[in-house]
Amino acid sequence: MAVGDHVFVSRVGYTHHGVEVQDGMVIHFTGTPGNKRGASIKREPIEVFRCGGVVQIRRYEQRLEPDEVVQRAESKLGQSGYTLYANNCEHFASWCVTG
């Protein structure tokens, strides 16, 4: 894994996504499992992000430079507005990496 990578972990019935931003830190859309009403974008240690899962990397043929990916992720810290079908953790990570 490297700074600016779109990372994800498999969980029971879904995958959880984020962006690696520095040594051992990930920015991701997170909230209480089963209740995403208060979900927000946070920077957390990768151990918290992975929650016992195996971290994988989503590859892209075309993507932004790592510094720009990190800037985009950091620009959304603290924001909320999670919706399963229109604004979820995967949407966030993909937007950071691809624009």
Side-chain angles (χ1 to χ4, degrees):
M1 291 186 310
V3 169
D5 278 348
H6 175 162
V7 294
F8 67 98
V9 293
S10 293
R11 300 215 176 133
V12 177
Y14 68 101
T15 54
H16 182 57
H17 301 256
V19 174
E20 183 168 345
V21 293
Q22 64 186 46
D23 293 333
M25 298 298 283
V26 173
I27 295 179
H28 61 131
F29 219 142
T30 186
T32 305
N35 180 9
K36 298 295 185 182
R37 184 181 324 221
S40 64
I41 297 174
K42 297 181 182 177
R43 178 192 318 257
E44 295 186 311
I46 199 157
E47 292 80 22
V48 172
F49 169 79
R50 70 183 191 91
C51 193
V54 176
V55 178
Q56 300 175 65
I57 301 168
R58 173 160 295 165
R59 305 283 181 200
Y60 292 88
E61 285 188 28
Q62 294 184 339
R63 52 164 291 145
L64 301 172
E65 292 297 319
D67 288 344
E68 187 172 357
V69 173
V70 171
Q71 285 179 325
R72 292 172 73 83
E74 289 176 338
S75 77
K76 299 296 183 182
L77 282 169
Q79 290 191 6
S80 57
Y82 179 95
T83 62
L84 180 61
Y85 298 108
N87 192 33
N88 63 35
C89 61
E90 186 174 7
H91 296 131
F92 166 72
S94 295
W95 173 82
C96 290
V97 173
T98 66

